[in-house]
Amino acid sequence: MNPHKTWGARIGATIFWLLFGLIFGLTGWFYGIKPLTTTVGNWWLARDYRATPATVVERTGKDADGEFKWLATRYDVGGTTRETSRMTVLDDEAIDEPANDAVQTALRPNLGTEKPVTVWVSPRDPEVAVVSRDLPITPVFSRLPMAIGFALFALAGVSGALGALFSFGYYQKQFDVIGLWVFAAAWCGFIFPVLLMVMAAGSIEWFVVAIVGLFALIGVFMLWGAVTATITGKGGEGFRMRGGKLSTLPDSALATSYGKKGKPVAGKVKRGGMGGHGDGFDKS
């Protein structure tokens, strides 16, 4: 049974769910899933990269903010000298990214010396090399909530749009807890990016991470509640769009001298009580 009785309401609900899924889907893809899968994929490919000696050199560039410098490594494979400035398996090669900056800091004492460092070179393409092939745990962990959570919100948007438009059987349960979906989305849509920014800082304050992580955990529980309530139809009662009667009092207790909503009410009607002795009430 579709809770939307008219085609106008169906289309409106479909548009709402599509926008809901699109906003969270695109955000989750660009800031969660894509960087995460790229990092893990690069790390997986780099497992068979070969250790190769290299020397540290410094490079200079210019942009709108002026001159800037970065470190690179120079290595030789097959009689050809090559360079790489890729520090880690992260997709983002910005030198101020904490994981990349940590590797550069470790390289800097070797700048201007003949002391070799180790780089890892692809056996398939010598042009591809990385200074550290280790998986950066903090950047991966910080993007997991957005990658998984926002993907679930996107799936909810797609399923809600299809359910609203075509009256699929599961949609009534999802619509019943739409308030929980919206509240969880608002909560997670704020706290998950905050967690990402806090953990991406150059100097991580673990006390701050713990506080933000606690609020992120609340968001995880709300998201889990929305998913389970949609699947089982149980839970999320406080956010339901339909809840039966608005009062647990009997109809007779809500009746006026003219009946309830203009209609006679069955049962013994008690008049005059809670409201005091106003005009039109029986005297007691």
Side-chain angles (χ1 to χ4, degrees), residues 246-270:
L246 298 179
S247 173
T248 58
L249 294 173
D251 288 344
S252 58
L254 302 174
T256 66
S257 299
Y258 304 100
K260 185 181 180 182
K261 297 182 180 180
K263 299 180 181 180
V265 176
K268 185 177 180 179
V269 179
K270 180 179 179 180

Side-chain angles (χ1 to χ4, degrees), residues 34-205:
K34 185 176 181 291
L36 184 61
T37 55
T38 300
T39 299
V40 175
N42 289 344
W43 167 76
W44 185 262
L45 289 174
R47 291 178 307 152
D48 66 347
Y49 283 14
R50 297 170 181 170
T52 304
T55 55
V56 182
V57 295
E58 188 173 58
R59 292 290 172 256
T60 303
K62 289 185 178 181
D63 58 12
D65 297 325
E67 187 178 272
F68 62 95
K69 296 181 179 181
W70 73 94
L71 297 182
T73 55
R74 181 180 296 163
Y75 61 97
D76 183 89
V77 174
T80 303
T81 301
R82 298 176 173 84
E83 288 186 7
T84 181
S85 59
R86 177 178 286 276
M87 298 291 112
T88 68
V89 296
L90 291 173
D91 182 41
D92 185 4
E93 295 185 63
I95 60 175
D96 56 351
E97 208 287 332
N100 289 327
D101 185 59
V103 177
Q104 289 226 28
T105 300
L107 288 179
R108 189 162 294 279
N110 296 301
L111 179 62
T113 69
E114 295 300 321
K115 183 178 179 180
V117 297
T118 299
V119 298
W120 299 90
V121 181
S122 169
R124 293 167 292 277
D125 184 357
E127 294 287 343
V128 178
V130 62
V131 178
S132 173
R133 62 174 182 174
D134 296 333
L135 180 65
I137 299 299
T138 299
V140 169
F141 180 78
S142 64
R143 294 184 187 275
L144 276 176
M146 289 189 67
I148 298 175
F150 282 27
L152 290 174
F153 285 127
L155 289 175
V158 173
S159 66
L162 294 175
L165 188 61
F166 299 109
S167 303
F168 291 141
Y170 66 83
Y171 180 65
Q172 181 65 67
K173 291 185 289 186
Q174 183 173 352
F175 178 75
D176 284 348
V177 290
I178 187 175
L180 181 54
W181 276 111
V182 172
F183 189 77
W187 186 284
C188 297
F190 170 75
I191 201 64
F192 286 176
V194 171
L195 179 64
L196 175 61
M197 289 187 292
V198 168
M199 296 192 70
S203 178
I204 297 178
E205 298 290 341

Side-chain angles (χ1 to χ4, degrees), residues 5-54:
K5 304 303 181 183
T6 65
W7 272 105
R10 287 190 186 186
I11 294 174
T14 301
I15 294 175
F16 165 80
W17 283 112
L18 283 177
L19 289 175
F20 183 89
L22 185 65
I23 292 172
F24 284 94
L26 290 178
T27 304
W29 170 256
F30 285 110
Y31 294 99
I33 297 175
K34 185 176 181 291
L36 184 61
T37 55
T38 300
T39 299
V40 175
N42 289 344
W43 167 76
W44 185 262
L45 289 174
R47 291 178 307 152
D48 66 347
Y49 283 14
R50 297 170 181 170
T52 304

